Amino acid sequence: MTMDVTFLGTGSAYPSPHRGASALVLRTEGECWLFDCGEGTQTQLMKSQLRAGRITKVFISHLHGDHLFGLPGLLCTVSLNSNPDPQQRLGRVDIYGPRGLRHFLRVTLGLTGSQLLFPYAGKRALSPNTDVHELEPTSDQSPEEGQLSPEVTADGPLHPQEQPGRTISLDVSSECYLLFEDKRFVVQAFRLFHRIPSFGFCVQEHDRPGRLKTELLKELGLKPGPLYGRLKAGEAVTLESGRLVLPAEVLEDATPGRKVCILGDCSSVLGEGPLRLCHRADILVHEATLANEHREKAVEHGHSTPEMAAAVAQACRARRLVLHHFSQRYKPCGAQKEGGKDDVSELKRQAEDALQDSGVEVVLAEDFLTLNVPIRCDQSLPVR
Amino acid sequence: MTMDVTFLGTGSAYPSPHRGASALVLRTEGECWLFDCGEGTQTQLMKSQLRAGRITKVFISHLHGDHLFGLPGLLCTVSLNSNPDPQQRLGRVDIYGPRGLRHFLRVTLGLTGSQLLFPYAGKRALSPNTDVHELEPTSDQSPEEGQLSPEVTADGPLHPQEQPGRTISLDVSSECYLLFEDKRFVVQAFRLFHRIPSFGFCVQEHDRPGRLKTELLKELGLKPGPLYGRLKAGEAVTLESGRLVLPAEVLEDATPGRKVCILGDCSSVLGEGPLRLCHRADILVHEATLANEHREKAVEHGHSTPEMAAAVAQACRARRLVLHHFSQRYKPCGAQKEGGKDDVSELKRQAEDALQDSGVEVVLAEDFLTLNVPIRCDQSLPVR
Ligand SMILES: [Zn+2]
Ligand SMILES: [Zn+2]
Ligand SMILES: [Zn+2]
Ligand SMILES: [Zn+2]
């Protein structure tokens, strides 16, 4: 079961010919989840190996334009290129993001007559259902002027085919937002501090039970059948002889689920809960807008330096820290003048310096870089 | 006085790696006027020789996303990169477009906290003033479902620093909208038929009076001074001898002003007034989304074929017809497979066939093509 992350845009503030605006895709079994969608993301997708039509979920970390302005166009294009046969295409796109996102989409799609996406009555079968789930921010996530007044996001009349949507509130005890849980994943969000409310996302794959030790089962006199399934599901089973067979006896070690954490723009993470949530993340994606020597300016704008990103990775004991969201002053390695200032590889060195002996690997993201997230064999879990 | 037109995006429906979404720039004396602003326009601008910071006016033909989704990001980036010294930069961007545009910008800029553009009190000096002038469409410009209900565009509370804006109504006698007139230009708009209300724009340079025949003036005993200025301004002058000197006697022929007409998406032009307005245009930019053989589909979607574009050019007696807004199926000549179908040069041939012997030159636009608009020497005007 492969799982990988592809960066579509690694620049901050705006897209440039050197770096797209923020967007990355987490892919698993052909399904694509898009994290942020700056202007030009649909074009970056076309240039990549990924297919926009495979996007089933979109996560928007915060409402700054460099993370959002590509979303209306992307949805229109997915809709336009979707198979007219409803059997042949993904029927639904779920969108998660801060309060205000629903209003943004309603107005941008509504005023532009984007009727394929939220079609008029009678055309529903032609359109994917789009449901927008909004995260309710708290007042400590940004300076006061960065908070949206309730009037600005007040629910006006829904678009005729708009789904009513859902508001997700902070779970105070875990300091997280539960977005959804299904057979394979649980996805949560958490609060970051930025100029406007910003969020991080944690995608946690469930652990997978180990394989049955079939030789041993045969020795015990158990033949393939329903009892196998019950043991695999973690249930104890009593043989005809009266012998109790515990799952731990007959199952190989479980495979630990993978964990990918993707943080939006921030100068800090709010609370300890998110650090526990991201503990031992296989990949922690964190912004590093400016180099350490510009820390004051970075913080003033709600951003981080490599050193600050490294501190978060260390607090989580992440396995790999991936830096992105670079100021457009840092050209990609290929486009960089030899020996020039504002060398992006200096950002990597600064994070590595801060992580000496911690065992955290540092990676610099670039547009179209794909990182595989391998299943971990090094650290198998005890059977439950 | 040079004047040129640069195409930044010539594709329809959405931007692709082969063709950007709709946008072109009319440049005159270092000032740039942007016509339409599809997603990715700011990146196309960066790739071109043009500078986004020179944009003083934006004209949006209609609210479809492929003509509009790049505008919020472009304004943010212009604002972000503008010189903090108000003396050093352009102080104002005027935006013209259909009803609904003001609401679109208010919501997209407001929700994304784009405070540099419409800054909070006290920061006004840092920001360009942006004024949105809306064109009031008429009900015959689109099918009923393409018309915005008044509630959708109702004026909510203005953003704290938003300019109140202006609504421009159709002048019924000329069948045009007067956008503005200044020393050099008069700019008008007119109605097109499309799926949603769409407009064309006519930029008319004023005629320039000819030079003074100084030899002749000397013979008449007139020395350089204020009387020269009055003659040049078209005023008759009486000499001490009592002799009346008419401007026509002492002025070379006037230089006719140039005319550039840029039409938004359409399957037809509404009324005769626009054809009179565009008479003898130096450049007429018209969409040609699909080839002649797809006429039915083109019209169904409110679009034109080369033959339809040619008919408009012929009705106006335009000098040059420039085709753009090609379906993404038509790859640029360079990216086109030899002998493949959907050859874009076929669109040119179809327009030329329709314009045989009419003297109208046909040009295929491509991304980054620049067309010079020369001063016409072939047909000088009689002196007024
Ligand atoms: Zn950002
Ligand atoms: Zn941000
Ligand atoms: Zn269009
Ligand atoms: Zn259109």
Side-chain angles (χ1 to χ4, degrees):
Chain A
M1 199 112 46
T2 62
M3 188 167 171
D4 58 33
V5 174
T6 299
F7 291 82
L8 295 173
T10 57
S12 76
Y14 51 85
S16 82
H18 292 296
R19 293 189 187 280
S22 285
L24 66 85
V25 167
L26 175 68
R27 184 168 56 162
T28 137
E29 289 184 57
E31 234 185 80
C32 290
W33 296 357
L34 177 65
F35 290 80
D36 284 340
C37 190
E39 183 179 346
T41 297
Q42 60 173 311
T43 316
Q44 296 287 89
L45 264 168
M46 287 178 212
K47 288 184 189 171
S48 77
Q49 313 279 26
L50 304 166
R51 286 173 51 192
R54 297 269 178 183
I55 294 171
T56 54
K57 296 185 196 297
V58 177
F59 302 85
I60 300 295
S61 67
H62 66 301
L63 300 182
H64 273 155
D66 57 325
H67 301 253
L68 178 61
F69 283 152
L71 186 55
L74 178 85
L75 293 174
C76 289
T77 303
V78 167
S79 182
L80 204 64
N81 291 331
S82 64
N83 196 309
D85 177 359
Q87 305 286 308
Q88 294 295 310
R89 57 175 177 70
L90 297 166
R92 184 182 175 80
V93 178
D94 279 288
I95 302 174
Y96 300 85
R99 183 160 67 87
L101 182 55
R102 202 179 291 158
H103 191 62
F104 178 88
L105 285 174
R106 188 181 304 147
V107 170
T108 52
L109 296 173
L111 285 175
T112 56
S114 300
Q115 53 180 314
L116 279 175
L117 192 74
F118 295 123
Y120 295 99
K123 286 198 186 166
R124 178 183 272 273
L126 275 175
S127 76
N129 286 316
T130 305
D131 208 341
V132 184
H133 311 268
E134 285 191 345
L135 302 171
E136 190 63 51
T138 59
S139 63
D140 49 352
Q141 275 184 267
S142 73
E144 202 182 330
E145 68 265 26
Q147 290 159 31
L148 292 175
S149 67
E151 308 92 73
V152 178
T153 57
D155 268 354
L158 298 192
H159 193 286
Q161 273 66 44
E162 183 182 347
Q163 305 291 311
R166 175 170 70 113
T167 299
I168 308 174
S169 299
L170 181 72
D171 174 63
V172 179
S173 69
S174 68
E175 297 181 294
C176 294
Y177 299 76
L178 177 63
L179 305 194
F180 66 92
E181 177 159 13
D182 64 16
K183 272 189 184 170
R184 291 193 53 210
F185 295 102
V186 52
V187 179
Q188 291 175 268
F190 50 91
R191 295 169 305 155
L192 305 170
F193 188 85
H194 186 46
R195 271 176 300 142
I196 61 173
S198 181
F199 295 89
F201 299 100
C202 173
V203 178
Q204 168 73 65
E205 190 184 31
H206 294 310
D207 298 333
R208 218 136 0 137
R211 279 190 287 195
L212 285 169
K213 297 171 178 169
T214 44
E215 285 303 312
L216 177 59
L217 286 166
K218 276 177 199 158
E219 280 171 33
L220 290 168
L222 247 169
K223 290 195 184 115
L227 290 182
Y228 273 40
R230 284 165 57 190
L231 281 163
K232 189 143 189 181
E235 213 179 298
V237 158
T238 308
L239 303 182
E240 281 176 17
S241 66
R243 158 91 151 85
L244 183 72
V245 181
L246 298 174
E249 291 178 77
V250 295
L251 285 173
E252 307 277 2
D253 286 343
T255 309
R258 288 161 286 187
K259 190 187 282 188
V260 174
C261 301
I262 299 160
L263 281 70
D265 290 2
C266 63
S267 56
S268 63
V269 175
L270 258 70
E272 297 291 316
L275 301 178
R276 282 192 296 274
L277 183 71
C278 299
H279 185 73
R280 299 305 276 150
D282 292 273
I283 286 185
L284 180 92
V285 179
H286 197 294
E287 65 133 295
T289 306
L290 292 168
N292 290 348
E293 53 272 28
H294 305 298
R295 183 179 183 133
E296 203 176 331
K297 186 178 171 196
V299 172
E300 190 195 331
H301 289 89
H303 289 303
S304 292
T305 62
E307 193 179 41
M308 292 163 70
V312 174
Q314 190 147 30
C316 301
R317 300 187 58 215
R319 290 158 208 273
R320 265 199 286 184
L321 166 63
V322 187
L323 301 178
H324 74 153
H325 197 268
F326 309 120
S327 161
Q328 295 285 357
R329 66 165 79 180
Y330 302 105
K331 302 279 178 293
C333 289
Q336 171 75 31
K337 277 189 213 126
E338 194 98 29
K341 70 181 190 59
D342 297 329
D343 184 354
V344 72
S345 60
E346 179 65 14
L347 302 180
K348 185 180 182 199
R349 212 186 50 73
Q350 294 185 345
E352 280 171 341
D353 276 359
L355 287 167
Q356 267 176 7
D357 307 320
S358 68
V360 182
E361 185 197 351
V362 179
V363 176
L364 277 190
E366 291 294 348
D367 290 14
F368 307 113
L369 172 74
T370 295
L371 294 174
N372 187 30
V373 191
I375 292 174
R376 294 199 305 269
C377 307
D378 55 322
Q379 193 206 23
S380 47
L381 296 177
V383 176
R384 285 170 296 187
Chain B
M1 198 113 46
T2 62
M3 189 167 170
D4 57 33
V5 174
T6 300
F7 291 83
L8 295 173
T10 56
S12 76
Y14 51 84
S16 82
H18 293 296
R19 293 191 188 279
S22 285
L24 67 85
V25 167
L26 175 69
R27 185 170 55 163
T28 134
E29 291 186 55
E31 235 186 81
C32 291
W33 295 358
L34 178 65
F35 289 80
D36 284 340
C37 190
E39 184 179 347
T41 296
Q42 60 172 306
T43 316
Q44 297 287 90
L45 263 168
M46 287 178 214
K47 288 185 189 169
S48 79
Q49 313 280 25
L50 304 167
R51 286 172 53 192
R54 297 267 178 184
I55 294 171
T56 54
K57 297 187 195 295
V58 177
F59 302 85
I60 300 295
S61 67
H62 67 301
L63 300 182
H64 273 155
D66 58 326
H67 301 253
L68 178 61
F69 283 153
L71 186 56
L74 178 84
L75 293 174
C76 289
T77 302
V78 167
S79 181
L80 202 64
N81 291 332
S82 64
N83 196 309
D85 177 0
Q87 304 286 309
Q88 294 294 310
R89 56 174 177 69
L90 298 166
R92 183 183 176 79
V93 179
D94 279 287
I95 303 173
Y96 300 85
R99 183 158 66 87
L101 182 55
R102 201 178 293 158
H103 191 62
F104 179 87
L105 285 174
R106 189 181 303 148
V107 169
T108 52
L109 296 172
L111 286 174
T112 56
S114 299
Q115 52 180 314
L116 280 174
L117 193 75
F118 294 124
Y120 295 98
K123 286 198 188 165
R124 176 182 273 273
L126 276 174
S127 75
N129 286 317
T130 305
D131 208 342
V132 184
H133 310 267
E134 285 190 346
L135 301 171
E136 191 64 53
T138 58
S139 63
D140 50 351
Q141 276 183 269
S142 73
E144 202 183 330
E145 69 266 26
Q147 290 159 30
L148 292 175
S149 67
E151 308 92 72
V152 178
T153 56
D155 267 356
L158 297 193
H159 193 287
Q161 274 68 43
E162 184 182 346
Q163 305 291 313
R166 173 172 72 114
T167 299
I168 308 174
S169 299
L170 181 72
D171 174 64
V172 179
S173 68
S174 67
E175 297 181 294
C176 293
Y177 299 77
L178 177 64
L179 306 194
F180 66 91
E181 177 160 13
D182 63 16
K183 273 190 184 172
R184 292 193 52 211
F185 295 102
V186 52
V187 179
Q188 291 175 266
F190 50 91
R191 295 168 305 154
L192 305 171
F193 189 85
H194 186 46
R195 271 176 300 142
I196 62 174
S198 182
F199 295 89
F201 300 100
C202 173
V203 178
Q204 167 74 66
E205 191 185 29
H206 295 309
D207 297 335
R208 218 139 358 136
R211 278 190 287 194
L212 285 169
K213 298 174 179 167
T214 44
E215 286 303 314
L216 178 60
L217 286 167
K218 275 177 198 157
E219 281 172 31
L220 289 168
L222 247 170
K223 291 193 183 117
L227 291 182
Y228 274 40
R230 283 166 58 190
L231 282 163
K232 189 143 191 180
E235 214 179 300
V237 159
T238 309
L239 302 182
E240 281 175 17
S241 66
R243 156 92 150 85
L244 184 70
V245 181
L246 296 174
E249 293 178 74
V250 295
L251 284 173
E252 308 276 1
D253 286 344
T255 309
R258 289 160 286 187
K259 191 189 280 190
V260 174
C261 300
I262 298 161
L263 280 69
D265 291 2
C266 64
S267 55
S268 63
V269 176
L270 259 72
E272 296 293 317
L275 301 179
R276 281 192 296 273
L277 183 69
C278 299
H279 184 73
R280 298 304 279 152
D282 292 273
I283 286 185
L284 181 92
V285 179
H286 197 295
E287 67 132 298
T289 306
L290 291 168
N292 290 349
E293 55 271 31
H294 306 296
R295 182 179 183 131
E296 202 176 332
K297 187 177 169 194
V299 172
E300 189 195 331
H301 290 89
H303 290 303
S304 292
T305 62
E307 192 180 41
M308 291 162 70
V312 174
Q314 191 148 29
C316 301
R317 300 190 55 217
R319 290 155 208 274
R320 265 199 287 185
L321 166 65
V322 187
L323 302 178
H324 73 154
H325 197 269
F326 309 120
S327 162
Q328 295 285 355
R329 66 165 79 180
Y330 303 104
K331 302 280 178 291
C333 289
Q336 171 75 29
K337 275 188 216 128
E338 193 98 30
K341 69 179 188 63
D342 296 331
D343 185 353
V344 72
S345 60
E346 179 64 15
L347 302 181
K348 185 180 180 195
R349 211 186 50 72
Q350 293 184 346
E352 281 170 341
D353 277 359
L355 287 166
Q356 267 177 7
D357 307 320
S358 69
V360 182
E361 183 196 354
V362 180
V363 177
L364 276 190
E366 289 296 347
D367 291 13
F368 307 112
L369 172 73
T370 296
L371 294 174
N372 188 32
V373 191
I375 291 175
R376 295 199 306 266
C377 307
D378 55 322
Q379 192 204 22
S380 48
L381 295 179
V383 175
R384 286 171 295 186

